[in-house]
Amino acid sequence: MAKGRGAAARTARRAGASKAKPAPKKADAGHPVSPLAPKSFAALPPLAGVRLATAAAGVRYKDRTDVLMAVMAPGTQVAGVFTRSKTSSAPVEWCRTGLKGGEARALVVNSGNANAFTGKAGFEGAREVAVSAAAVVGCKAQEVFLASTGVIGEPLPAQKITKVLGSLAEQGSAGGWRAAAEAIMTTDTYPKLATAAAQIDGHKVTINGIAKGSGMIAPDMATMLAFVFTDANLPASVLQDLLSSGVKPSFNAITVDSDTSTSDTLLLFATGKGAHHPAISKANDRRLADFKRKLDELLLNLALQVVRDGEGARKQIRIDVTGAASDDSAKTVALAVANSPLVKTAIAGNDANWGRVVMAVGKAGEPADRDKLKIAFGNQVVAEKGERSPRYDEAAATRAVSGSEVEIVIDLGIGKGRSRVWTCDLTEGYIRINGSYRS
Amino acid sequence: MAKGRGAAARTARRAGASKAKPAPKKADAGHPVSPLAPKSFAALPPLAGVRLATAAAGVRYKDRTDVLMAVMAPGTQVAGVFTRSKTSSAPVEWCRTGLKGGEARALVVNSGNANAFTGKAGFEGAREVAVSAAAVVGCKAQEVFLASTGVIGEPLPAQKITKVLGSLAEQGSAGGWRAAAEAIMTTDTYPKLATAAAQIDGHKVTINGIAKGSGMIAPDMATMLAFVFTDANLPASVLQDLLSSGVKPSFNAITVDSDTSTSDTLLLFATGKGAHHPAISKANDRRLADFKRKLDELLLNLALQVVRDGEGARKQIRIDVTGAASDDSAKTVALAVANSPLVKTAIAGNDANWGRVVMAVGKAGEPADRDKLKIAFGNQVVAEKGERSPRYDEAAATRAVSGSEVEIVIDLGIGKGRSRVWTCDLTEGYIRINGSYRS
């Protein structure tokens, strides 16, 4: 998906693969489960018009599922947003083309191989998977959507995937969301799921979503993938408007390490099989207000699950910038803070180091006035009017950054622009995961 | 100094201060000397028209020198470049104003307190030091240049500095460069010095420079300071042109962690006392060719000493980008690679992880064509024409990234733009230094 400069790309170790547990409910060997993992996982209800199945195809991992197939009812509408990387993967290119038709009948996702920077052979591999899926589903290849996550630069072993598609299409069931979320994991330390019920003009519809963050397998990088399904009856154009709007304050407002994957993909499918609500042709139709709100919440929920599973993360950090010259300017400042290694290491060390926040604001290059800048950790004001706040209380400020959820509040005091972004702290765990010797 | 997005801002621990050695020839306790430290230090010759002296004023550190005073001959010309931070420190503001006069008689630098984000009191503190120095030297306050590095947000104890200025002005000698470089250190693990001899129209002149990188003392950040002196006779306008040009491929081409200090300062002084070469009024005068080359080399030498002392650094990484749409575009790509945590951790782990280089090129947002991109580590081509190179040799590629100096070579293949930047690897040492609990 399009994450701009702030991104959730992450990476992992080849070594992890061979040590992966049979059921990927725990993190790969060597990756302790994030302390920010949810206490329990959302139970996603069946969703009319979607059948899911997973397989252990051995794309790269052994003894775990690595292919997800979702078969959707005829007429399913689709929207998507993708990485802005100039070196995007073959599946991303395939999906961009497929989106023009607006209809989807199948989604095939594999973990273990990103099919990125694999040249023409990579695109042929993607096409082979799509053609094969189309044959078993009985649809056009362009109605098959693809995502791959894992090693970069290695040819996709397409036949390992195509040979399981027939049985996956047969097995598919309306349940199995947890298994689906697990099959797309790489170095994720927990599966990411969310569900919501919404009303459209008095008719109940369901939204289910799964996502993955941290990626894996050297030489490689992680990828942010998210797939959201609803049984609402909405045309592709409306879905695209909702998704493009909903992604801004969620997946486009998170960053783990400022790196952007070649493969980031967020797709939204609407089967139209869940309710007989009236036809809706505009995203700003008032009858969509509840659906839009619930979709936005679900996207943010999934995005935060990705942040909270950032490599080495021990804390979630929220950054609120207000009083900026514009919303864009506020976001630039917020991302400068969120991506500052000095800020992130300070928070990791429970250090109320507001000087580093001043530095990050200053380096963002956006309009700012030192003497109007105000900085707080939670509700503890630490700096204002160009100097340390007279209200500064070191012990209270330290407490404010010592929990597992930290809020940095910055008021630039010069305009009305505002932005909120999330990140995680930067710990030695990040270095260990990403700097380990390839073997 | 102006470092744009890539910067050498760094930070350190309050704890380090009290454990500092009497003579700061070794790094502060807890900071092992960089493995990239020079085997021996340059012996800088005396420089006509400059007298140096240092003092242990107890600004913050105990039992070590922390104030440097340089007194320059009447008529000394000065040029400077500074941080682009929007929250620049009081001394930076003071110097920006002073530069308009073009003349300098004294430089006063303190370590231990950055006098940044200290409001009006901070500016008054800077003025107090300048006025006091002017009184002992017998010059205008505007002819005194200042730099401070250390804690942010704490009021400058100006009187601790002013009370030593009288004896510093008396003691000053033409030697003492090593002591000068040591007095401005914060978390630097070695003093940074360089010297060069140059010819101007057949007359020998000398250029001496000192610098510091890693900074200091929570809540705080590091600062890049560099002071270069020559006995050549050159007007401020020529110095400024030479400096602005020389800084681009040196201090503006290094990055440790993408963070930018509030205090970065690079000053160039010319006393005119070293040689009786003819007057020169333009930086592009052919008679300056050798001087310009030697100055550029000296600036690069100092800048690389800063990179090689980056917090936690174990490797120097050079990134060459060619074939870009423009030089600026090449630099954006090079800095995206240099600032990528995933690239820097991979190199730290001796991992020839070219997929992360592809990712970093892709995220830079500059014109690029996946199928024309070529990537090498040293002379080992690893990727070309949109996929892994047929010449790829894992063992050779690993060797190419396993030394203490690594070269990443990227040809975008679409234009003639080029850029070279330097950085260091990202290790757990960086996290340890910057994430340690304040105490």
Side-chain angles (χ1 to χ4, degrees):
Chain A
M1 47 135 291
K3 292 187 301 187
R5 302 186 61 85
R10 271 87 50 74
T11 310
R13 316 189 297 180
R14 178 176 291 168
S18 59
K19 296 174 193 164
K21 301 288 187 300
K25 289 168 191 171
K26 290 190 181 175
D28 284 346
H31 295 77
V33 172
S34 168
L36 305 176
K39 298 285 176 279
S40 63
F41 296 106
L44 275 54
L47 198 140
V50 178
R51 291 187 302 118
L52 301 167
T54 62
V59 172
R60 183 175 196 99
Y61 300 109
K62 306 296 180 200
D63 305 320
R64 59 155 278 191
T65 55
D66 58 358
V67 175
L68 161 66
M69 186 176 194
V71 178
M72 273 84 73
T76 292
Q77 301 289 293
V78 61
V81 289
F82 304 94
T83 180
R84 287 183 189 140
S85 171
K86 301 279 179 177
T87 54
S88 56
S89 68
V92 167
E93 292 186 18
W94 179 268
C95 288
R96 281 203 177 102
T97 304
L99 269 192
K100 292 173 188 163
E103 301 210 352
R105 290 296 313 284
L107 167 70
V108 180
V109 187
N110 74 277
S111 51
N113 184 309
N115 196 10
F117 216 71
T118 43
K120 289 190 180 61
F123 195 78
E124 285 309 312
R127 185 201 304 274
E128 192 178 331
V129 173
V131 167
S132 178
V136 300
V137 171
C139 67
K140 299 179 197 163
Q142 303 94 286
E143 294 170 339
V144 177
F145 287 75
L146 305 172
S148 298
T149 173
V151 185
I152 279 193
E154 292 202 1
L156 182 73
Q159 291 173 12
K160 288 187 179 176
I161 300 170
T162 56
K163 76 180 181 199
V164 301
L165 295 178
S167 65
L168 287 178
E170 278 181 24
Q171 291 163 30
S173 75
W177 293 93
R178 171 79 176 267
E182 288 173 346
I184 65 173
M185 285 169 65
T186 53
T187 49
D188 298 75
T189 74
Y190 55 83
K192 296 163 184 69
L193 305 114
T195 185
Q199 299 281 336
I200 299 181
D201 201 33
H203 299 259
K204 175 175 175 264
V205 298
T206 299
I207 314 173
N208 282 350
I210 61 175
K212 72 164 292 289
S214 333
M216 77 145 318
I217 306 288
D220 58 335
M221 82 199 42
T223 290
M224 212 295 304
L225 301 181
F227 308 107
V228 180
F229 303 81
T230 179
D231 50 9
N233 180 16
L234 297 170
S237 61
V238 169
L239 294 177
Q240 188 65 50
D241 286 350
L242 292 174
L243 190 62
S244 298
S245 155
V247 78
K248 283 182 200 164
S250 57
F251 285 103
N252 275 357
I254 62 172
T255 176
V256 168
D257 57 10
S258 82
D259 278 338
T260 304
S261 163
T262 54
S263 306
D264 295 328
T265 298
L266 169 55
L267 294 169
L268 171 59
F269 302 95
T271 66
K273 298 302 179 197
H276 300 285
H277 61 76
I280 288 181
S281 59
K282 297 280 186 191
N284 61 3
D285 189 309
R286 288 189 179 183
R287 293 168 295 179
L288 273 185
D290 186 62
F291 182 87
K292 182 177 184 340
R293 185 166 60 245
K294 299 294 172 55
L295 174 65
D296 287 350
E297 287 172 4
L298 182 140
L299 291 172
L300 179 57
N301 180 334
L302 288 174
L304 292 183
Q305 290 191 52
V306 169
V307 162
R308 294 168 70 89
D309 203 11
E311 285 169 340
R314 293 180 309 202
K315 300 184 182 199
Q316 173 184 301
I317 305 171
R318 191 179 83 188
I319 296 136
D320 279 311
V321 174
T322 57
S326 68
D327 288 352
D328 283 350
S329 179
K331 186 154 190 175
T332 301
V333 171
L335 284 173
V337 176
N339 285 323
S340 161
L342 288 174
V343 171
K344 292 156 77 91
T345 50
I347 300 296
N350 296 335
D351 180 0
N353 198 323
W354 58 270
R356 297 187 187 177
V357 179
V358 171
M359 172 280 300
V361 171
K363 80 167 178 168
E366 293 297 315
D369 180 335
R370 189 194 65 194
D371 295 339
K372 292 179 177 167
L373 180 59
K374 184 172 166 184
I375 297 170
F377 294 115
N379 57 12
Q380 288 296 316
V381 176
V382 289
E384 56 189 325
K385 294 180 185 164
E387 54 193 318
R388 188 167 61 198
S389 171
R391 294 181 273 170
Y392 181 76
D393 176 339
E394 169 102 10
T398 299
R399 279 196 301 277
V401 300
S402 296
S404 62
E405 298 187 359
V406 173
E407 295 168 16
I408 302 176
V409 185
I410 300 162
D411 184 13
L412 299 179
I414 60 168
K416 294 186 171 176
R418 57 173 54 228
S419 181
R420 169 176 285 184
V421 308
W422 282 267
T423 188
C424 55
D425 57 341
L426 175 57
T427 71
E428 295 183 22
Y430 180 89
I431 310 289
R432 272 196 297 275
I433 293 168
N434 288 303
S436 57
Y437 210 107
R438 282 201 299 172
S439 59
Chain B
M1 46 135 288
K3 293 189 299 186
R5 303 184 59 85
R10 269 87 52 73
T11 310
R13 314 187 301 177
R14 178 176 292 167
S18 59
K19 296 174 192 163
K21 301 289 187 299
K25 290 169 188 169
K26 290 189 181 176
D28 283 346
H31 296 77
V33 172
S34 168
L36 305 177
K39 298 285 176 278
S40 63
F41 296 105
L44 275 54
L47 198 139
V50 177
R51 291 188 302 119
L52 301 167
T54 62
V59 173
R60 183 175 196 98
Y61 299 109
K62 306 295 178 200
D63 304 321
R64 58 155 279 191
T65 56
D66 57 358
V67 175
L68 161 67
M69 186 175 194
V71 178
M72 273 84 71
T76 292
Q77 302 289 293
V78 61
V81 289
F82 303 94
T83 181
R84 288 182 189 140
S85 171
K86 301 278 178 176
T87 55
S88 55
S89 68
V92 166
E93 291 185 19
W94 179 268
C95 288
R96 280 204 179 101
T97 305
L99 268 193
K100 292 171 188 163
E103 300 210 355
R105 290 297 312 284
L107 167 69
V108 180
V109 187
N110 75 277
S111 52
N113 184 310
N115 196 9
F117 215 71
T118 41
K120 290 191 178 59
F123 196 78
E124 286 310 311
R127 184 201 306 274
E128 192 178 331
V129 173
V131 167
S132 178
V136 300
V137 171
C139 68
K140 298 179 197 163
Q142 304 93 286
E143 293 170 339
V144 177
F145 287 75
L146 304 173
S148 296
T149 173
V151 184
I152 279 191
E154 293 201 2
L156 182 74
Q159 291 173 14
K160 288 187 178 175
I161 299 170
T162 56
K163 75 180 181 198
V164 302
L165 294 178
S167 64
L168 287 178
E170 277 182 23
Q171 291 164 27
S173 75
W177 293 93
R178 171 79 175 265
E182 288 173 347
I184 65 173
M185 286 170 64
T186 54
T187 49
D188 299 74
T189 74
Y190 56 82
K192 297 164 183 68
L193 306 114
T195 185
Q199 299 281 336
I200 298 180
D201 201 34
H203 299 261
K204 176 176 174 264
V205 297
T206 299
I207 313 173
N208 281 351
I210 61 174
K212 72 163 292 290
S214 331
M216 71 148 315
I217 305 288
D220 58 336
M221 82 198 44
T223 290
M224 210 298 302
L225 301 181
F227 309 106
V228 180
F229 303 80
T230 179
D231 51 8
N233 180 17
L234 297 170
S237 61
V238 169
L239 294 177
Q240 189 64 50
D241 286 350
L242 291 173
L243 190 61
S244 298
S245 155
V247 78
K248 283 182 198 164
S250 59
F251 285 104
N252 275 357
I254 62 172
T255 175
V256 168
D257 57 10
S258 82
D259 279 338
T260 304
S261 163
T262 54
S263 307
D264 295 328
T265 298
L266 168 56
L267 294 169
L268 171 60
F269 302 95
T271 66
K273 299 301 179 198
H276 301 286
H277 60 77
I280 288 182
S281 60
K282 297 280 185 191
N284 61 4
D285 189 309
R286 288 189 179 184
R287 293 168 295 179
L288 273 185
D290 185 60
F291 183 86
K292 182 175 181 346
R293 185 168 58 245
K294 298 293 170 56
L295 175 65
D296 287 352
E297 287 171 4
L298 182 140
L299 292 172
L300 180 57
N301 180 336
L302 288 175
L304 292 184
Q305 290 191 52
V306 169
V307 161
R308 294 168 71 89
D309 204 10
E311 285 170 342
R314 293 181 309 202
K315 299 184 183 199
Q316 172 184 301
I317 305 172
R318 191 179 83 189
I319 296 138
D320 279 312
V321 174
T322 57
S326 68
D327 287 353
D328 283 350
S329 179
K331 187 153 190 176
T332 301
V333 171
L335 284 172
V337 175
N339 285 323
S340 163
L342 288 174
V343 171
K344 292 156 77 90
T345 49
I347 300 297
N350 296 335
D351 180 359
N353 199 324
W354 60 270
R356 297 187 187 177
V357 179
V358 171
M359 173 281 300
V361 171
K363 78 166 179 169
E366 292 298 315
D369 180 335
R370 188 195 66 195
D371 296 339
K372 292 179 177 167
L373 180 59
K374 184 172 167 184
I375 297 169
F377 294 115
N379 58 12
Q380 288 295 315
V381 176
V382 290
E384 57 190 324
K385 295 180 185 165
E387 55 193 318
R388 188 168 60 199
S389 170
R391 294 180 272 170
Y392 181 76
D393 176 338
E394 170 102 13
T398 300
R399 278 196 300 277
V401 300
S402 295
S404 63
E405 298 188 359
V406 173
E407 294 169 16
I408 303 177
V409 185
I410 299 163
D411 184 12
L412 298 178
I414 60 168
K416 294 186 172 178
R418 58 172 56 227
S419 180
R420 168 175 287 184
V421 308
W422 281 267
T423 188
C424 55
D425 57 343
L426 175 57
T427 71
E428 295 184 22
Y430 180 88
I431 309 289
R432 271 196 297 274
I433 294 168
N434 288 303
S436 57
Y437 211 106
R438 282 201 298 172
S439 60

